[in-house]
Amino acid sequence: MTTAIVVGSGIAGLTFALHATRRGVAVTLVTKGAADHGATRFAQGGIAGVVFPEDRIEDHIQDTLTAGAGLCDEDAVRVLVTEGPTRIRELVAWGVAFDRDPAGRLLRGLEAAHSFPRILHAGGDATGLAIEMALLRAAREAGIRIVEHAFLADLVVHDGAVGGVRVLVDGRATVLTADAVVLATGGAGQLYARTTNPAVATGDGIAAAMRAGAEVRDLEFVQFHPTVLAVGAPFLVSEAVRGEGAHLVDDDGRRFAFDAHPDGELAPRDVVARAIARTMTRQGGRPVRLDARHVRDLPGRFPSIDAAVRARGLDWSAAPIPVTPAAHYLMGGVATDLDGRTTLPGLYAIGETARTGVHGANRLASNSLLEGAVFGARAAAAVADPSGAPRFDSLRSLNEHESRFRDGAGAPPFTRAALQRLMWHHAGLVRDADGLSLAAETIAAWRAEATAPATVAEHEDANLLLVAQGVVSAALARRESAGAHFRSDSPRADATTERSASLVPVGAAC
């Protein structure tokens, strides 16, 4: 019997586990925290898919390609969109109760850069939680072994092939072996001072793959969500709110998003996020406002957001609320083919951990849950029938940057907060060669001074430093602006407007 270990318990990992088990694979699912505490549960807006008769597969494909700024893999996008409806019907069969009208028809929402309202949602704005709970229940009913609070320390590699994982459980190292290892550990939002990601998003799977020698790609493409509450801990205000008609205003009450794009608040996320950053710079760093006063039934349509807004002492039905951008999603990751295979035999990657090519330089809203479901199922088929070989072009390597701080002298002391500020200011919404070079040099110095990690927190810091080095190196190598990667020193960039839009101030610069 084929055995597999999947690391991560979000939509990608659980979909893989369910499909692989159905195909006769003995699956062990290990997860860093509690099984329901990954990023999937926090997804608000919904899942995109062509499930309405008026919609067209080709339109969803084109919307995805357009949002990706010309850098998507079209074959991967076609797989995502054409197989998506089947995976959505499967979610319904597993018990996901998507919202419906009194007649039982599925409700649908519109989000930025979609040409059609094709977003399905559950619990108003609790789609991710509904999916997480349904899949986790199905996995337990299927008898899948789930090991919680098991931290991925490293991959086990023998003779160039991955054959297991080394995990820390209650501080003790344990080795688990399998025919295949599937990384579904999410992204690396904790690289940044402001992020919508949970605390567990420290790039563990990506870093483990890099240490083992797997190829990574497109790490420069980090998506910043435009609208995150600026009061209290970061809390995402779904793009679906703008899809229902909410709009952004500056201190003078003017809708500024149309200055950047004819679609205004529903332009691609990178465009809206930079428009907010520019406006905040013009008004001395103060947040912009999201005006949702004319949106009907805010508590009913967006119950989770409404509760978070009111918990901060705000009434968004009566006044606009302050919002800023925050790091949200990593488009790059471990390079895979269309079946989740990486460049290392025995190793697969799915979900946000993977770079499938479907997102290009900028992810289309609500394609992330879809990606986890579609490619989780495809990876399960590949593991069950391992006769195939990876199919993708050779990838450029990330080069380490020479550091002026080779002996550590002159570099600031390392803390995770210092790394997050460094990345926020120099590898965030707007980058340039000087800032990226400083970031690269500082990260190299920190890595040179680091000692072997022992605790989970120390492992996380080492992972964040390695992935940060990859992000910065890739951002330095890509000199032109593209989607979420905006170089203010790019020949195509408008330096007069973009150079000043550094980022929302967050503490002191590194």
Side-chain angles (χ1 to χ4, degrees):
M1 175 182 286
T2 300
T3 58
I5 295 168
V6 58
V7 188
S9 56
I11 186 171
L14 287 167
T15 299
F16 169 86
L18 287 164
H19 274 264
T21 298
R22 183 184 297 168
R23 290 175 176 272
V25 178
V27 176
T28 297
L29 186 150
V30 300
T31 188
K32 182 175 179 176
D36 62 350
H37 281 184
T40 292
R41 69 174 292 133
F42 296 105
Q44 296 174 349
I47 185 168
V50 180
V51 297
F52 299 99
E54 312 95 307
D55 198 6
R56 300 192 314 158
I57 291 288
E58 292 303 322
D59 291 342
H60 190 183
I61 289 172
Q62 189 55 53
D63 291 346
T64 301
L65 294 173
T66 300
L71 293 177
C72 299
D73 179 328
E74 188 167 348
D75 290 340
V77 173
R78 190 164 294 277
V79 164
L80 175 78
V81 174
T82 57
E83 296 183 11
T86 299
R87 299 283 78 83
I88 290 173
R89 288 191 291 270
E90 189 173 65
L91 289 173
V92 174
W94 274 325
V96 178
F98 290 110
D99 295 333
R100 298 175 183 267
D101 67 13
R105 294 182 296 259
L106 287 167
L107 295 175
R108 49 185 158 176
L110 177 68
E111 294 187 3
H114 283 273
S115 60
F116 184 85
R118 61 173 65 96
I119 316 302
L120 304 183
H121 51 81
D125 58 0
T127 311
L129 180 61
I131 290 173
E132 177 70 31
M133 293 298 99
L135 293 184
L136 194 54
R137 182 170 57 251
R140 286 172 170 150
E141 290 172 354
I144 295 169
R145 181 190 179 200
I146 300 174
V147 183
E148 298 180 290
H149 307 290
F151 177 81
L152 173 66
D154 255 321
L155 299 172
V156 175
V157 182
H158 292 300
D159 298 326
V162 174
V165 295
R166 187 169 68 88
V167 295
L168 300 180
V169 181
D170 296 328
R172 295 191 301 272
T174 301
V175 173
L176 304 175
T177 61
D179 298 310
V181 172
V182 183
L183 298 175
T185 54
Q190 292 300 322
L191 283 174
Y192 291 92
R194 282 184 60 80
T195 180
T196 64
N197 286 194
V200 295
T202 52
D204 304 324
I206 297 171
M210 292 174 73
R211 285 192 296 271
E215 296 268 15
V216 294
R217 192 172 190 179
D218 291 355
L219 293 182
E220 66 269 36
F221 297 130
V222 180
Q223 186 172 79
F224 285 73
H225 198 285
T227 51
V228 176
L229 284 176
V231 177
F235 188 90
L236 187 146
V237 179
S238 171
E239 204 156 80
V241 177
R242 284 175 279 136
E244 294 288 339
H247 49 253
L248 295 163
V249 297
D250 61 16
D251 278 353
D252 298 323
R254 189 178 73 88
R255 292 180 68 177
F256 58 86
F258 287 96
D259 298 342
H261 195 280
D263 290 340
E265 289 90 356
L266 293 181
R269 285 178 174 174
D270 64 302
V271 175
V272 178
R274 286 194 299 272
I276 291 173
R278 286 195 298 273
T279 301
M280 291 181 63
T281 298
R282 286 197 297 268
Q283 57 190 38
R286 292 183 298 279
V288 302
R289 303 270 166 171
L290 181 69
D291 190 348
R293 289 176 292 178
H294 55 286
V295 176
R296 290 185 301 172
D297 190 20
L298 287 168
R301 174 64 180 87
F302 302 107
S304 302
I305 302 171
D306 184 74
V309 168
R310 295 183 185 279
R312 289 159 170 78
L314 305 171
D315 182 358
W316 63 334
S317 66
I321 56 174
V323 293
T324 70
H328 182 56
Y329 193 89
L330 181 61
M331 274 77 73
V334 183
T336 71
D337 68 1
L338 298 184
D339 297 311
R341 301 182 188 90
T342 74
T343 55
L344 281 179
L347 181 66
Y348 299 73
I350 52 178
E352 192 176 354
T353 306
R355 185 276 183 192
T356 61
V358 296
H359 304 308
N362 187 40
R363 177 173 66 80
L364 181 66
S366 289
N367 269 359
S368 56
L369 292 174
L370 191 69
E371 181 194 23
V374 167
F375 289 94
R378 290 180 70 89
V383 168
D385 179 13
S387 59
R391 299 183 298 275
F392 44 74
D393 298 331
S394 60
L395 309 175
R396 61 186 171 89
S397 299
L398 297 174
N399 298 317
E400 294 194 10
H401 194 277
E402 182 69 15
S403 175
R404 77 180 78 168
F405 305 131
R406 282 186 296 273
D407 59 358
F414 170 77
T415 63
R416 189 180 300 188
L419 172 64
Q420 291 167 335
R421 290 194 301 269
L422 181 79
M423 294 294 288
W424 183 262
H425 286 285
H426 299 301
L429 263 172
V430 179
R431 298 102 177 255
D432 62 28
D434 290 343
L436 289 167
S437 295
L438 175 62
E441 293 161 357
T442 306
I443 292 165
W446 283 336
R447 291 197 68 217
E449 291 290 297
T451 57
T455 66
V456 167
E458 289 170 351
H459 277 282
E460 289 179 331
D461 286 344
N463 291 339
L464 286 169
L465 277 170
L466 180 56
V467 177
Q469 184 177 61
V471 170
V472 171
S473 295
L476 275 166
R478 189 179 292 276
R479 293 182 173 86
E480 74 283 0
S481 295
H485 170 65
F486 190 87
R487 289 279 299 253
S488 62
D489 53 356
S490 165
R492 298 206 317 248
D494 182 355
T496 60
T497 60
E498 296 283 3
R499 186 178 294 276
S500 61
S502 54
L503 268 185
V504 187
V506 175
C510 245

